[in-house]
Amino acid sequence: MSAESARTIALPGGEEIAALGQGTWYLGEDPARREQEIAALRLGVDLGMTVVDTAEMYGDGAAEELVGEALRGRREEVFLVSKVLPGHADRKGTVAACEGSLRRLRTERLDLYLLHWRGRWPLEETLAGFTDLMEAEKIRYWGVNEPLGVLLGVMPWNFPLYQVVRFAGPNLVLGNTILLKHASSCPQSALALEQLFTDAGVPTGVYTNLFVRGRDVGKIIDDSRVQGASLTGSERAGVSLGESAGRNVKRSVLELGGSDPFVVLDDHNLERTVYAAFLGRMGNTGQCCVAAKRFIALADVYDAFVTGLRDRMSEVQPGDPVDPATTLGPLSSEAAADLLMEQVRDAVDKGATVVLGGGRPDLPGAFVEPTLLTDVTPDMRAYREELFGPVATVYRVADEDEAVALANTSPYGLGGAVFAAEPERARGVADRLEAGMVWINHPTASRPELPFGGIKRSGYGRELGDVGIVEFANRKLVRYVDADAPIEEVLG
């Protein structure tokens, strides 16, 4: 984003702050500026109030097509900026090194969501109306999905581009406009996405990036013009946002933590099952809400499964993320690594067996060794808490009933996976798992055409698919009665 695009906004009292693009507000940390910061937030909300003028224009996915075209023309610059640290001594070298690792994300995810979203469901039914529900002689019923207006999105750092797109995409298709508060640790991703909208010619206010502190999110939700909020992040943040939304009687969607079970019922194609477990646990260095974290194996396959998973995890090579030989990067921060090690040490101190790892490698950065724990018991933190990193726990169970009971002891209920040769057997276990999503013979994942979300402490509501697009829609019922028809009894 060029310096020429910067402008200033006058705040109450005559002071000014810098604003970039479509409303990126750089707010100070000085408590004395609190009222001025609130004023800046209000200005940001004002930018989002073009929904009345733009909903009809962009309700058919035109905004996504404009942004998608801009993405296709500048994809290298846009995707690489999210990974390159400011002030890096070898910026060009880092960009080149990152290119290969980002190729899959480019080709399989962002193009799909930004450019082709509108083809993932029947818009003529989902957006124009869900067809006549009943037609009698002089009475008709039909429904219409209408946008609610301005929505706030609070998005996480672990998938800084994809998470934003899957929230913004369907809501812009519907006709809502977006205020986006990204995680404080990935401002470059926030700026890159906003710049795409600017370069595509999308009117100011359709997508507005806000650099605000987490504790100020409630002020935005309190504004009567904001109609709903969606958060992907920690349980603590979700509780706070949900409380604010509930107090204001506004819709919200929460996608929070997870401690997904991965249930192994037999030894059919065990090498494939072990590989699936490895990918499900180690993807994104284990920093994924829907990652497999608790592996539950029946007794007759337990030993072979533990051995196979240990061997797979031991092959991982930690190191510099820009080194092609590296297969395990650091965690997001030292605080994250410290928390994970506290959970591991707590388990070991209380009797858990360390099959692999259990420490931190002698490398600069927030690295944690790939760790495999067994003999984990309910008194350990690792039994009930989410392990957000390359740490797996494996449990031995006698039968399917014990597997289901153990899987359902978690306070979370995001996803789960069941592996078995017999479809009916796998389906029987899947149907009993307390989770928002269960995949059979594949690690839990997300796809644009499938609803995504959880239950229990993992949150509520759904993203993606034909379900996700109407989370922030007014599903209006319209009933037509002929002007000469008799009046029916009125019940409320």
Side-chain angles (χ1 to χ4, degrees), residues 11 58 62 217 243 312-313 339-340 383 391 393 433 462 465:
L11 297 177
Y58 292 101
V217 166
E243 180 182 17
R312 275 285 186 181
M313 293 178 67
L339 172 59
L340 190 60
Y383 184 92
V391 178
T393 59
L433 295 182
R462 294 293 182 268

mmCIF file of all heavy atoms in Angstrom, residues 11 58 62 217 243 312-313 339-340 383 391 393 433 462 465:
data_model
loop_
_atom_site.group_PDB
_atom_site.id
_atom_site.type_symbol
_atom_site.label_atom_id
_atom_site.label_comp_id
_atom_site.label_asym_id
_atom_site.label_seq_id
_atom_site.Cartn_x
_atom_site.Cartn_y
_atom_site.Cartn_z
ATOM 1 N N LEU A 11 -10.161 13.936 14.403
ATOM 2 C CA LEU A 11 -10.909 13.411 15.530
ATOM 3 C C LEU A 11 -11.384 14.562 16.415
ATOM 4 O O LEU A 11 -10.905 15.686 16.305
ATOM 5 C CB LEU A 11 -10.033 12.465 16.350
ATOM 6 C CG LEU A 11 -9.551 11.215 15.617
ATOM 7 C CD1 LEU A 11 -8.637 10.420 16.526
ATOM 8 C CD2 LEU A 11 -10.716 10.374 15.174
ATOM 9 N N TYR A 58 -24.192 -6.067 -5.407
ATOM 10 C CA TYR A 58 -23.233 -7.121 -5.127
ATOM 11 C C TYR A 58 -23.879 -8.391 -4.614
ATOM 12 O O TYR A 58 -23.197 -9.319 -4.231
ATOM 13 C CB TYR A 58 -22.181 -6.625 -4.134
ATOM 14 C CG TYR A 58 -21.304 -5.580 -4.755
ATOM 15 C CD1 TYR A 58 -21.512 -4.230 -4.496
ATOM 16 C CD2 TYR A 58 -20.315 -5.945 -5.656
ATOM 17 C CE1 TYR A 58 -20.727 -3.268 -5.108
ATOM 18 C CE2 TYR A 58 -19.527 -4.995 -6.272
ATOM 19 C CZ TYR A 58 -19.731 -3.653 -5.994
ATOM 20 O OH TYR A 58 -18.979 -2.722 -6.599
ATOM 21 N N ALA A 62 -20.856 -10.269 -7.537
ATOM 22 C CA ALA A 62 -19.997 -9.421 -8.368
ATOM 23 C C ALA A 62 -18.769 -8.944 -7.605
ATOM 24 O O ALA A 62 -17.686 -8.825 -8.172
ATOM 25 C CB ALA A 62 -20.798 -8.215 -8.870
ATOM 26 N N VAL A 217 -13.635 -4.666 20.747
ATOM 27 C CA VAL A 217 -14.596 -5.325 19.864
ATOM 28 C C VAL A 217 -16.022 -5.122 20.357
ATOM 29 O O VAL A 217 -16.959 -4.911 19.566
ATOM 30 C CB VAL A 217 -14.268 -6.834 19.752
ATOM 31 C CG1 VAL A 217 -15.423 -7.600 19.124
ATOM 32 C CG2 VAL A 217 -13.001 -7.024 18.935
ATOM 33 N N GLU A 243 -21.131 -12.832 24.505
ATOM 34 C CA GLU A 243 -21.818 -12.064 25.544
ATOM 35 C C GLU A 243 -22.264 -10.709 25.015
ATOM 36 O O GLU A 243 -23.395 -10.279 25.251
ATOM 37 C CB GLU A 243 -20.893 -11.887 26.740
ATOM 38 C CG GLU A 243 -21.499 -11.095 27.890
ATOM 39 C CD GLU A 243 -20.541 -10.893 29.032
ATOM 40 O OE1 GLU A 243 -19.323 -11.063 28.832
ATOM 41 O OE2 GLU A 243 -20.998 -10.550 30.133
ATOM 42 N N ARG A 312 6.244 -42.154 12.062
ATOM 43 C CA ARG A 312 5.923 -41.036 11.167
ATOM 44 C C ARG A 312 6.336 -39.696 11.780
ATOM 45 O O ARG A 312 6.970 -38.860 11.130
ATOM 46 C CB ARG A 312 4.425 -41.016 10.872
ATOM 47 C CG ARG A 312 3.988 -41.914 9.746
ATOM 48 C CD ARG A 312 4.363 -41.312 8.400
ATOM 49 N NE ARG A 312 3.829 -42.088 7.286
ATOM 50 C CZ ARG A 312 4.024 -41.782 6.020
ATOM 51 N NH1 ARG A 312 4.754 -40.733 5.697
ATOM 52 N NH2 ARG A 312 3.528 -42.524 5.062
ATOM 53 N N MET A 313 5.991 -39.492 13.035
ATOM 54 C CA MET A 313 6.287 -38.216 13.682
ATOM 55 C C MET A 313 7.782 -38.022 13.889
ATOM 56 O O MET A 313 8.280 -36.887 13.878
ATOM 57 C CB MET A 313 5.545 -38.123 15.013
ATOM 58 C CG MET A 313 4.033 -38.046 14.861
ATOM 59 S SD MET A 313 3.139 -37.988 16.439
ATOM 60 C CE MET A 313 3.639 -36.375 17.080
ATOM 61 N N LEU A 339 3.057 -22.598 26.889
ATOM 62 C CA LEU A 339 1.798 -23.198 27.317
ATOM 63 C C LEU A 339 1.754 -24.683 26.955
ATOM 64 O O LEU A 339 1.366 -25.527 27.787
ATOM 65 C CB LEU A 339 0.618 -22.472 26.662
ATOM 66 C CG LEU A 339 -0.762 -23.115 26.865
ATOM 67 C CD1 LEU A 339 -1.114 -23.218 28.342
ATOM 68 C CD2 LEU A 339 -1.834 -22.340 26.097
ATOM 69 N N LEU A 340 2.153 -25.010 25.739
ATOM 70 C CA LEU A 340 2.125 -26.399 25.312
ATOM 71 C C LEU A 340 3.062 -27.255 26.172
ATOM 72 O O LEU A 340 2.715 -28.374 26.567
ATOM 73 C CB LEU A 340 2.505 -26.496 23.834
ATOM 74 C CG LEU A 340 2.306 -27.852 23.160
ATOM 75 C CD1 LEU A 340 0.841 -28.280 23.229
ATOM 76 C CD2 LEU A 340 2.783 -27.801 21.714
ATOM 77 N N TYR A 383 -5.626 -34.226 29.054
ATOM 78 C CA TYR A 383 -6.843 -35.012 28.854
ATOM 79 C C TYR A 383 -8.029 -34.128 28.500
ATOM 80 O O TYR A 383 -8.883 -34.506 27.694
ATOM 81 C CB TYR A 383 -7.137 -35.803 30.127
ATOM 82 C CG TYR A 383 -8.316 -36.751 30.045
ATOM 83 C CD1 TYR A 383 -8.128 -38.078 29.670
ATOM 84 C CD2 TYR A 383 -9.612 -36.331 30.356
ATOM 85 C CE1 TYR A 383 -9.196 -38.966 29.602
ATOM 86 C CE2 TYR A 383 -10.685 -37.200 30.292
ATOM 87 C CZ TYR A 383 -10.485 -38.510 29.913
ATOM 88 O OH TYR A 383 -11.553 -39.375 29.858
ATOM 89 N N VAL A 391 1.649 -32.099 19.403
ATOM 90 C CA VAL A 391 1.566 -33.060 20.503
ATOM 91 C C VAL A 391 0.308 -33.909 20.309
ATOM 92 O O VAL A 391 -0.794 -33.375 20.173
ATOM 93 C CB VAL A 391 1.523 -32.364 21.876
ATOM 94 C CG1 VAL A 391 1.381 -33.402 22.994
ATOM 95 C CG2 VAL A 391 2.782 -31.528 22.080
ATOM 96 N N THR A 393 -1.973 -37.380 21.733
ATOM 97 C CA THR A 393 -2.228 -38.347 22.799
ATOM 98 C C THR A 393 -2.950 -39.544 22.209
ATOM 99 O O THR A 393 -3.831 -39.391 21.354
ATOM 100 C CB THR A 393 -3.078 -37.725 23.923
ATOM 101 O OG1 THR A 393 -4.328 -37.282 23.382
ATOM 102 C CG2 THR A 393 -2.369 -36.547 24.559
ATOM 103 N N LEU A 433 -20.928 -39.776 17.981
ATOM 104 C CA LEU A 433 -19.950 -38.783 18.434
ATOM 105 C C LEU A 433 -20.599 -37.417 18.593
ATOM 106 O O LEU A 433 -21.388 -36.982 17.748
ATOM 107 C CB LEU A 433 -18.784 -38.682 17.442
ATOM 108 C CG LEU A 433 -17.892 -39.913 17.292
ATOM 109 C CD1 LEU A 433 -16.767 -39.625 16.316
ATOM 110 C CD2 LEU A 433 -17.332 -40.357 18.639
ATOM 111 N N ARG A 462 -22.722 -22.058 11.800
ATOM 112 C CA ARG A 462 -21.988 -22.730 10.747
ATOM 113 C C ARG A 462 -21.423 -21.725 9.747
ATOM 114 O O ARG A 462 -22.018 -20.684 9.468
ATOM 115 C CB ARG A 462 -22.877 -23.734 9.999
ATOM 116 C CG ARG A 462 -23.335 -24.917 10.861
ATOM 117 C CD ARG A 462 -22.167 -25.798 11.248
ATOM 118 N NE ARG A 462 -22.562 -26.956 12.025
ATOM 119 C CZ ARG A 462 -22.595 -26.990 13.359
ATOM 120 N NH1 ARG A 462 -22.297 -25.906 14.066
ATOM 121 N NH2 ARG A 462 -22.930 -28.107 13.996
ATOM 122 N N GLY A 465 -20.853 -23.619 2.787
ATOM 123 C CA GLY A 465 -22.001 -24.350 2.290
ATOM 124 C C GLY A 465 -23.272 -23.533 2.236
ATOM 125 O O GLY A 465 -23.304 -22.332 2.517
#
